[in-house]
Amino acid sequence: MPAPPETGGGLGGFIRRSGYLRKWLILGIAIGIIAGLGAVTFYLALDYAGRFLLGYLAGYDIPKPIGDGGDAGSPGFDRPWAIPLVAFGGALVSAWLVAKFAPEAEGHGTDSAIEAVHTDPRAIRGRAIVVKTIASALTIGSGGSGGREGPAAQISAGFGSLLTRWLNLPDADGRIAVSLGIGSGIGAIFGAPLGGAVLAASIIYREDFDYKALIPGFITSATAYAVLGSILGFDPLFGFMAADFRFDHPLDLTWFLVIGVVAAFFGYLYARLFYGTVALTARLPGNKVIKPALGGLAVGLLALLLPQILSSGYGWAQKAGSLDTLMAIPLWIVLLLPLAKIVATSLSIGTGGSGGIFGPGVVVGAFVGAAIWRLAHDLGAPGIPDSPAVFVVVAMMACFGSVAHAPLAVMIMVAEMTGSFSVIPCAMVAVGIAYLLILRTDVSIYQAQRPDREAAAAQRGPE
């Protein structure tokens, strides 16, 4: 709903009277700066929480990808009994903070930002941003399976909402501002500015694209990336995982068709299990504090068998793309990991914990690609590449790009995260197949998405 005409002050009036270029240069750069600083803030909060909770209290260091330092992690658990307790305690405190101060910060956060775009771009409270940041750092830092993009997106989307209120922007501009916040926050935290810009224009719809957000998204995402990189560095999250891959044999595309089909299945399973857990949790007895805590306990217990499910899992995704480290993992674990990561994320975030679901979806895809390559390798199948990296990268794109209904954005983001634009011809086949299969269902990992611009406009009514 439009704000009163007297709000916004002189600056608000100046921006509202500005032409397209000046308006989105000012707003885009402002949102980008906050997106970059917000991503840095959450990154550091999560890093500290992980070092203290899992590292100091539980005696376990999770592996990190190259962009986060490349730490190989602990070879095993020094204090196995502490893992479930720390995961339980972190989830408990996180859930209490959310229930006490900002109930809307529950879950993965991106859906609430998308909903704000469609219903009221002024609706995101500043309190929710602070609570989301702290709660997610506690959940993921204690071992909960979640992604760091949810809080990053909510910080910058919340700033876009705040600007909409302060400057009395029209709803149409407010929706773009919040969308830019979502895309630039996710793009910044993953070091993927182009993907973040495209994501801003595509994440709010299942079968459509908001072209009005694309060009401002370039400005916002580039600014956010520049801010974050100037503080934390510009290295891709996973280094240059498949940068030396060259597509030179058309028959190799057969393998990527297989990857697309399997990735679509696991993307579908991810959404179904996640929201099935959300629905089941709502029906179970108990309050909104104890349920996520019990979910955290379950994740901690499962991690004693499969430590790869703890926290973000990006370090293990890095290991999955390397021949030496992948072959060191028993085959049964490699095959089980895609499902195990989905279950862990559902228990951590689907029960009401705080954290993102984009990151785990990418990690699920990495494990899918690793499992296909490892099984084909062990069976002596013809035509597979010497390294699992290309399978891992493409499956990352196909698994989450399909179920998020943002195939182009996720494909570009993963290419930036892995320094692997050379895989694009193969990825186009896998991502295209996966997305077409998902379109035959009514499933999306983001339930707040609207089908298209026309449906969204009809739901809003006249402005």
Side-chain angles (χ1 to χ4, degrees):
M1 62 186 70
E6 68 271 16
T7 62
L11 179 59
F14 172 76
I15 291 177
R16 291 194 301 274
R17 291 189 301 271
S18 295
Y20 180 88
L21 176 60
R22 185 168 65 186
K23 175 171 61 180
W24 288 112
L25 272 175
I26 295 171
L27 295 177
I29 291 173
I31 295 171
I33 291 172
I34 297 301
L37 292 175
V40 170
T41 299
F42 182 71
Y43 176 91
L44 295 176
L46 177 57
D47 183 62
Y48 178 79
R51 290 176 185 274
F52 179 74
L53 296 173
L54 277 179
Y56 179 72
L57 295 182
Y60 179 71
D61 294 321
I62 61 172
K64 294 184 177 181
I66 289 175
D68 288 348
D71 188 347
S74 301
F77 295 127
D78 289 341
R79 297 188 288 276
W81 55 268
I83 299 296
L85 294 180
V86 167
F88 172 81
L92 181 69
V93 177
S94 170
W96 178 82
L97 285 171
V98 169
K100 178 73 173 177
F101 298 105
E104 67 267 37
E106 177 184 327
H108 61 86
T110 308
D111 254 343
S112 63
I114 295 173
E115 187 63 31
V117 173
H118 290 301
T119 55
D120 183 4
R122 298 172 173 82
I124 302 176
R125 293 195 300 167
R127 178 188 297 183
I129 299 170
V130 176
V131 172
K132 185 72 177 178
T133 301
I134 299 172
S136 297
L138 289 171
T139 297
I140 305 169
S142 62
S145 177
R148 60 197 191 194
E149 82 292 334
Q154 195 147 27
I155 291 170
S156 45
F159 183 70
S161 181
L162 186 65
L163 283 180
T164 305
R165 292 195 301 270
W166 279 358
L167 303 176
N168 189 25
L169 298 178
D171 278 0
D173 288 343
R175 285 192 291 273
I176 294 175
V178 176
S179 296
L180 296 183
I182 298 172
S184 60
I186 295 176
I189 199 76
F190 284 132
L194 178 57
V198 178
L199 190 70
S202 56
I203 195 172
I204 63 173
Y205 300 115
R206 293 191 182 191
E207 302 174 26
D208 207 344
F209 191 85
D210 186 2
Y211 65 93
K212 293 181 180 179
L214 183 60
I215 303 304
F218 291 161
I219 298 168
T220 307
S221 271
T223 302
Y225 177 63
V227 170
L228 179 134
S230 66
I231 299 172
L232 298 179
F234 293 96
D235 291 335
L237 180 62
F238 296 106
F240 296 90
M241 187 179 283
D244 58 349
F245 172 78
R246 294 294 180 268
F247 173 60
D248 56 10
H249 202 299
L251 290 179
D252 291 346
L253 292 178
T254 305
W255 279 112
F256 296 98
L257 188 151
V258 173
I259 290 173
V261 173
V262 178
F265 169 75
F266 277 97
Y268 177 88
L269 189 65
Y270 183 25
R272 285 297 191 192
L273 280 180
F274 182 83
Y275 286 109
T277 302
V278 172
L280 177 62
T281 301
R283 293 196 297 269
L284 291 175
N287 60 39
K288 290 193 174 184
V289 174
I290 193 62
K291 292 177 186 179
L294 292 176
L297 178 63
V299 170
L301 292 171
L302 181 58
L304 297 179
L305 179 64
L306 297 168
Q308 294 85 356
I309 66 169
L310 285 172
S311 295
S312 65
Y314 303 141
W316 286 106
Q318 181 90 64
K319 290 176 180 286
S322 172
L323 177 64
D324 293 341
T325 48
L326 178 61
M327 295 302 292
I329 304 173
L331 178 61
W332 70 270
I333 292 181
V334 175
L335 296 178
L336 191 59
L337 279 177
L339 177 60
K341 188 63 176 176
I342 291 173
V343 171
T345 307
S346 300
L347 289 171
S348 298
I349 312 302
T351 56
S354 189
I357 54 176
F358 185 117
V362 170
V363 173
V364 169
F367 291 153
V368 166
I372 294 173
W373 186 91
R374 178 69 182 274
L375 190 61
H377 175 272
D378 288 3
L379 293 175
I384 64 167
D386 295 333
S387 167
V390 62
F391 276 30
V392 168
V393 171
V394 170
M396 283 181 181
M397 299 171 174
C399 186
F400 197 77
S402 60
V403 76
H405 291 262
L408 179 59
V410 174
M411 186 161 59
I412 295 171
M413 288 189 73
V414 173
E416 291 178 291
M417 291 158 61
T418 59
S420 305
F421 278 93
S422 60
V423 309
I424 291 295
C426 303
M428 290 168 68
V429 172
V431 174
I433 291 293
Y435 183 56
L436 290 173
L437 289 173
I438 288 292
L439 278 180
R440 297 177 64 86
T441 74
D442 61 350
V443 163
S444 175
I445 201 68
Y446 296 123
Q447 293 192 325
Q449 287 174 326
R450 304 302 194 259
D452 50 37
R453 284 173 288 168
E454 184 177 344
Q459 186 181 55
R460 288 193 301 268
E463 296 183 354

